[in-house]
Amino acid sequence: MLPQWIIEKKRNGETLSDEEVGLFMGGYVRGEIPDYQMAALAMAIYFKGMTPDETATLTRVMMQSGEVVDTSSIRLPKVDKHSTGGIGDKLSIPLAPLVACCGVAVPMISGRGLGITGGTLDKLESIPGYRTGLSVPEFIRVLQECGCSMIGQTDRIVPADRKLYALRDVTATVPSIPLIVSSIMSKKLAEGIDGLVLDVKCGRGAFMKTRAEARALAEGLVGVGRAMGKKVTALITAMDQPLGRSVGNALEMIESIDILRGKGPADSTELTLLLGSEMLVLAGVAPSVEAALPVLRSKLESGEALERFKKMVRGHGGNTEVIDDPGRFPVAAVRIDFLAPGSGVVQEADAEKIGRASLVLGAGRAKTTDVIDPAAGLSGLVKIGERVEAGQPLATLHASTRERIEAALPWVRQAFVMGEEPVTASALVLERITL
Ligand code: URA
């Protein structure tokens, strides 16, 4: 079977067999099939799609292209959470130790921020000494000791995705549901988990701008998870305004610590609890979301979740002094309040524009090789529906230079729309998909 025959079949809208998907991807990972043929197949998939079975096969083949973490030495149920990425979405950080306090192991392999969405690894690395690059045996050791560990992708996990994602990035084939589903699920299932909760972000600051797109992605992700014998639930959640009140790496760490202390903003705390409840249900340690919620809340209030987080940070070589005293996190040289020009109710706080401002301030990367500024970002963000008087801050901007602040200000100015009408932000959870 020649690679071009497989490309031709997909180009004509036919369904590829398991053998054809396996042959093609195997050849690509071994370097026998060149990038130009993989690019042609990716474009054919972009236009013709894949059936749920084909997507599941592609996911399995990609997952098996590298190491699948052997978590069999951990006797607890193993459940993770994946977010498709949003502005101010720091929830993995409080969630992993919180859920670990309830007898569930959370083996989390996370990513870095790119473009306007932040990444868990960059946030964790604002803790002095925290090593995100643990080896797999070290990852297992921290999991055994703490019930949770958060590391970055290793070279040996899903090499097929590493190669294919870079190619998709430069061939305009990223926004294809089967390709996104197989990319995300191959990496998550390589963690050796029993269950996965997906937070599919929807709205201005998300990859998926509409409910229909978010639902198609959520159904694809849940379908593949099920086909591979895992318990999977997806929540479609609102991403029109940033989550919480801070955007930026150290700033989001400080908010995560506030959530773990039970003193976080209402929205980021509530979504942490809801996602955590879904994780406990999938793990079989709670009969329902309603039963799980008070258990999780008590772990925040008692300080147990915060202690668990400190233990994990120590396991990764991190210095926990910043957790006891968040004032020790890196602080930006220039901090400027952006003041409300008039009194009114916040009608919009556009997540995408705030994400762009954060990038310009230095908190994000335009390309993977850029160096981020851990102290940069925005704090004290007002939320939709809040009333502000003229001259009160709508946000505080943090950057290393005044020039960066000046460059970010137009985005912040455009992000906030004030009015007289009382408004309520949309519900945090828009839909729950279990199939
Ligand atoms: N995130 C991934 O890991 N892969 C994609 O294809 C898109 C988002």
Side-chain angles (χ1 to χ4, degrees):
M1 168 86 53
L2 292 179
Q4 52 267 47
W5 297 345
I6 297 175
I7 300 168
E8 184 181 56
K9 202 170 163 187
K10 183 45 69 187
R11 184 203 64 194
N12 293 343
E14 291 172 52
T15 301
L16 303 182
S17 68
D18 292 359
E19 191 196 358
E20 287 161 340
V21 174
L23 276 175
F24 200 101
M25 293 308 294
Y28 179 57
V29 173
R30 287 192 301 274
E32 293 157 17
I33 292 183
D35 273 352
Y36 56 80
Q37 284 185 313
M38 184 71 241
L41 182 64
M43 191 57 89
I45 294 171
Y46 176 89
F47 280 113
K48 299 295 178 178
M50 279 185 137
T51 66
D53 284 347
E54 272 180 299
T55 310
T57 302
L58 178 60
T59 308
R60 186 174 298 110
V61 167
M62 284 177 57
M63 180 185 89
Q64 290 168 350
S65 70
E67 178 177 9
V68 175
V69 178
D70 179 3
T71 52
S72 58
S73 62
I74 294 156
R75 296 277 166 236
L76 300 173
K78 290 154 282 252
V79 179
D80 190 14
K81 185 254 353 181
H82 175 79
S83 158
T84 57
I87 313 301
D89 182 5
K90 69 280 291 170
L91 303 195
S92 290
I93 295 159
L95 197 54
L98 175 60
V99 169
C101 287
C102 303
V104 179
V106 187
M108 209 177 250
I109 301 182
S110 302
R112 295 199 179 275
L114 187 62
I116 61 168
T117 58
T120 302
L121 298 182
D122 297 323
K123 293 168 202 172
L124 286 168
E125 285 176 357
S126 61
I127 300 175
Y130 188 100
R131 286 171 57 222
T132 53
L134 299 189
S135 64
V136 169
E138 288 174 312
F139 179 54
I140 297 290
R141 178 187 50 78
V142 177
L143 268 174
Q144 277 163 343
E145 287 169 9
C146 310
C148 57
S149 178
M150 301 164 96
I151 61 167
Q153 188 80 23
T154 74
D155 286 344
R156 288 160 58 187
I157 293 174
V158 197
D161 181 63
R162 198 171 279 263
K163 217 174 156 188
L164 179 53
Y165 194 88
L167 186 68
R168 285 167 59 208
D169 205 19
V170 292
T171 55
T173 50
V174 169
S176 148
I177 299 263
L179 294 177
I180 297 173
V181 167
S182 53
S183 165
I184 292 176
M185 293 304 279
S186 60
K187 287 178 288 198
K188 284 284 135 181
L189 299 180
E191 292 173 342
I193 48 175
D194 308 310
L196 179 65
V197 174
L198 291 150
D199 181 0
V200 178
K201 298 284 180 207
C202 174
R204 289 189 179 136
F207 213 25
M208 299 289 147
K209 306 282 181 214
T210 67
R211 277 286 270 284
E213 287 170 338
R215 194 178 299 125
L217 177 59
E219 287 175 353
L221 293 164
V222 174
V224 163
R226 289 286 161 90
M228 297 193 53
K230 307 293 174 188
K231 297 177 185 161
V232 187
T233 300
L235 298 184
I236 298 178
T237 69
M239 187 31 75
D240 284 323
Q241 64 172 334
L243 196 51
R245 293 191 185 271
S246 297
V247 177
N249 296 290
L251 295 167
E252 289 190 48
M253 278 309 307
I254 295 169
E255 184 174 310
S256 301
I257 294 163
D258 284 344
I259 296 172
L260 284 164
R261 288 210 164 93
K263 295 185 167 43
D267 62 340
S268 48
T269 302
E270 186 187 336
L271 195 52
T272 302
L273 291 168
L274 287 171
L275 291 165
S277 301
E278 296 285 359
M279 290 170 79
L280 297 196
V281 172
L282 287 192
V285 302
S288 65
V289 166
E290 293 70 29
L293 277 169
V295 177
L296 289 170
R297 211 170 269 126
S298 72
K299 303 286 180 194
L300 294 182
E301 284 161 9
S302 66
E304 212 182 314
L306 184 69
E307 282 311 311
R308 189 62 72 109
F309 180 58
K310 286 203 231 173
K311 192 170 177 189
M312 183 194 79
V313 168
R314 277 194 291 274
H316 281 256
N319 183 342
T320 56
E321 282 174 12
V322 287
I323 302 171
D324 295 324
D325 178 8
R328 290 174 179 247
F329 272 106
V331 175
V334 189
R335 281 169 288 166
I336 304 265
D337 286 341
F338 174 70
L339 306 178
S343 303
V345 176
V346 181
Q347 311 281 313
E348 280 179 29
D350 188 315
E352 183 178 1
K353 296 198 170 89
I354 292 168
R356 285 180 196 271
S358 165
L359 182 62
V360 171
L361 289 167
R365 296 183 184 83
K367 52 186 189 305
T368 42
T369 46
D370 287 351
V371 175
I372 55 157
D373 173 1
L378 300 100
S379 64
L381 290 160
V382 293
K383 309 289 298 182
I384 293 176
E386 288 179 350
R387 186 169 178 90
V388 220
E389 301 307 324
Q392 276 184 352
L394 296 178
T396 304
L397 281 63
H398 305 239
S400 56
T401 63
R402 189 163 276 278
E403 289 69 37
R404 280 188 178 268
I405 303 253
E406 293 299 332
L409 273 173
W411 291 111
V412 182
R413 205 168 285 127
Q414 288 172 41
F416 290 104
V417 176
M418 309 290 290
E420 276 314 314
E421 291 298 304
V423 277
T424 27
S426 71
L428 276 176
V429 177
L430 305 172
E431 227 166 294
R432 179 171 186 266
I433 290 177
T434 52
L435 294 185

